[in-house]
Structures are given as C-alpha cells and as structure tokens.
Amino acid sequence: MEKQNIIKSVSYAKWGYIFILPFFLSYAIFSLIPLADTIRNSFYEYYAFGLKTVGPNWTGLSNYISLLSSDLPKYAWNTFVMWVLGFVPQIIISLVLASWFTDARLKIRGKQFFKVVIYLPNLIMASAFAMLFFALFSNAGPINSILLRMGIVGEAIRFMESTLGARTLVGLMNFLMWFGNTTIMLMAAIMGINPSIFEAAELDGCTHIQKFFRITLPQIKPLLTYTLITSLIGGLQMFDVPQILTAGKGAPDRTTMTLIMYLNKHLQAKNYGIAGALSVFLFIISAILCWMVFKMNTDSDPDGSKSAARRARKGGCDKRILFSALLFSLGYDKSVLDHSKHADLTFSDIKNMGYIDIADHIVEMSQDLDKIEYQFTKNGKKIGRCSVYEYESLIDDVFDFLEFKIKKICERGSNNG
C-alpha cells in the first residue's frame, strides 16, 4: 500500500482565547464579582454603629421595603429633572450645530477651530466646572456684581438658595460639558449619509427643513439612540456636579439631591445593606429605561414586509389602478395603449375605470428610508398606495406590457406595408 501523506492541521484558535483572556479576567475581578457581592449585601442587615459592626444578618427584602418608604422617589425625581434640563438643550443645540457644520452649501470657514472650541469644555473636570460656577454665581460673585452694576436687579440673586436656580445651574453645567462631545458624534453620523440622497432631495425641491426631518434624522437614528441611552445612564449616575456645588447637602431642602448622592451618604455611614439595595434599584431602573428607549427607536419592520402583509390582509392595493397610473405617469398615450386586442389591460379598460385624468404619481418618504411608499393621486386625492417592492413589480409589468404593445404595433405596420 502506498503511504498516504497525512497533513497535520494547525489551529490558531487558542491564541484568540489567550488574547481575550485578560479582559474577561479583569471584568470578572473588578465588575462581575463586586456586582454579585452588592446584590448579596442587599439582602443583609450590614452596617456600622460607632465602633461596632452589626451583621451581616439575613433580612430578605426589608432593605428594599425600607428604601421605598424613604425619600427615594423624591431623589429620583430630582435626578430626572436635572438630567432633562441638561439633555434637552444639549441634543437640540448639537443637532443644529452638526447640521450647519456638515452643510457644504453654507461654506463655514474655520470649521476645525470651532470643533476644537466646542469640544474643549468636555476636557474640563466636572469638579473644576462646579467650583467655577460656584464662584461665578455666588451671592457676591461676578454674575451678581454685573447685574447689580447694570441696574438689572435691585439686590443679589441667591441662585444657590432657590430650587429653580440650583437645578438650572446643574443642568447648565451638564449641557456645557457634554454638548461638544455630542456635536462631534452627530457630525460624524451625518457625514456618513450618502450625499446622493441629499442631491436627489434637492432635485425634487425639498427644503432644508424637509431634508433634516425626512432624511437626516431617520438616517442617524441609531446614533441618536446610542446618545440617548448613554446620556440616560450618565444622568442616573449624576454625582460630582451637584455634590460639589451644594457641598453634598443637596440644597436647598434636598431638591438637588441625586440618587448617587443618596447612595454615597449610605456608603459614608457604612450602611452596606441599604447601599446594596439602592444599587440594585439603580441597575433595574437603568435596564428598564434603556430597554424602553431601545424599543422606541428600533424599527421592527426594516424591510416593510410586515406592513405590506397587513395591507394585503386588508385588501392590499388595487393593482389595476396603480398600473394605469404608472402608464400615464410614464407619458404613454392612447395611440400606444389602444392597439392590440390581446392586451391584458386596454385603454378602454382604463377609461371605464375612471382614472383617465391621472397625470403623475407622488413619492413620499417616510421617517425610515427603507419604507418608501408611492402614492397615486386623482384630482389631488390619494387613490392608492404601494410599497417600494410592489412598485418595482408594477414597473416590470408596465415594461412587459409596453414591449408587447410595441411589438404588436410593429407587426401590424409591417403587415399593412
């Protein structure tokens, strides 16, 4: 027997596992194990009383019940309000700036300089920002001095002693620190859109507002979802700015006390049971809110198949109406349509259907460009609609029909000749 050469295969898969092993080890040591330990502590009575440590003693859900009966809802509302005050102007200003800087028709000079200036506040530490605002808006600070000298106010405004003033300052600081980062990300997303889409929209006569709402926003929806989720998580973890601005007191009357500030107080008091339960609450709230945001901004029907199936169950589109509309919109007249008695659809059929005056079809883009719908009108009223896939099928039918018609006309002409 001839010796068969056996080729030994070499597998390099193990090296991939070796290279990713440090990440999983560090994740398990510094994240997974502490998370499990936090969940475990949440079911125990475990705190320090003077020099004496009480626990850990199993208490079940008592820590969670104690939190729900405390001021936790108030602190959650404070956190939400201050996040909204910072995020809403942040996303609006960032969208406007990103649209301006990526619009080639505006020809803005010095774009690189403005990008650097916009991003600079993000490089400043939150603690430095809080100390700066504390000095600027104090009772004897520069802002009050300017307002008094200009005669705008009769006495110094006590920003830190009013709920609206303190919350607004926290929201303003969060806005200034993060709008630059959001603007840069949105600019990158907008520049990733195919320019031919904007060019086609301009040829169709779309205004800047229509292009923004019908093209730009739908195309950058994934990044908007990412921005909203990361901002939401960051808002729930808001700590350093209100902590430094109010010296950890949440003044006035704890109206700027956030969830993480409340958690920090329990950690300082070495009440690990309540702190663990609060951490679990934050984890659950973050997961629920992120899931809701993801579901609201994720298209469950990207190819339009579900909507097409729903229309089909309801009777679908009238193919004969759309077929006739296509013929007239493509500019074919009676001389082409009225020849051949063997055609599936004759000019007389179209005339009897009452759609002889259809002149054109209107293309409307929905929020998602994958869901282009073609709508046909008669005397300014919509008489039918179909999806892009149905439309493509109709176009094929039209050209097959016209090819058959022209062939018949040519045969008839040659026979007459």
Side-chain angles (χ1 to χ4, degrees), residues 184-199:
I184 299 299
M185 289 196 301
L186 292 178
M187 286 176 63
I190 295 174
M191 287 188 290
I193 302 175
N194 191 344
S196 61
I197 299 177
F198 293 105
E199 294 172 2

Side-chain angles (χ1 to χ4, degrees), residues 320 323 340-346 349 397 401 404-405:
R320 297 181 69 193
F323 189 86
S340 175
K341 297 179 181 179
H342 304 289
D344 294 333
L345 187 66
T346 65
D349 293 331
D397 293 342
F401 169 74
F404 174 78
K405 285 289 189 179

Side-chain angles (χ1 to χ4, degrees), residues 284-299:
I284 294 173
I285 292 172
S286 300
I288 293 174
L289 291 177
C290 291
W291 178 81
M292 291 173 59
V293 171
F294 182 77
K295 292 297 291 183
M296 287 189 297
N297 290 276
T298 303
D299 191 359

Side-chain angles (χ1 to χ4, degrees), residues 362-390:
I362 300 173
V363 180
E364 284 195 359
M365 286 189 231
S366 64
Q367 290 293 322
D368 190 342
L369 290 181
D370 291 333
K371 291 184 178 179
I372 299 177
E373 286 196 340
Y374 292 80
Q375 298 184 346
F376 298 87
T377 61
K378 176 189 175 185
N379 296 330
K381 296 181 180 180
K382 296 177 183 178
I383 59 169
R385 61 190 302 161
C386 66
S387 69
V388 65
Y389 308 104
E390 295 169 330

Side-chain angles (χ1 to χ4, degrees), residues 338-340 406-417:
D338 204 25
H339 285 86
S340 175
I406 293 172
K407 182 179 179 180
K408 287 295 182 180
I409 293 173
C410 294
E411 289 177 356
R412 186 173 181 178
S414 61
N415 292 333
N416 292 337

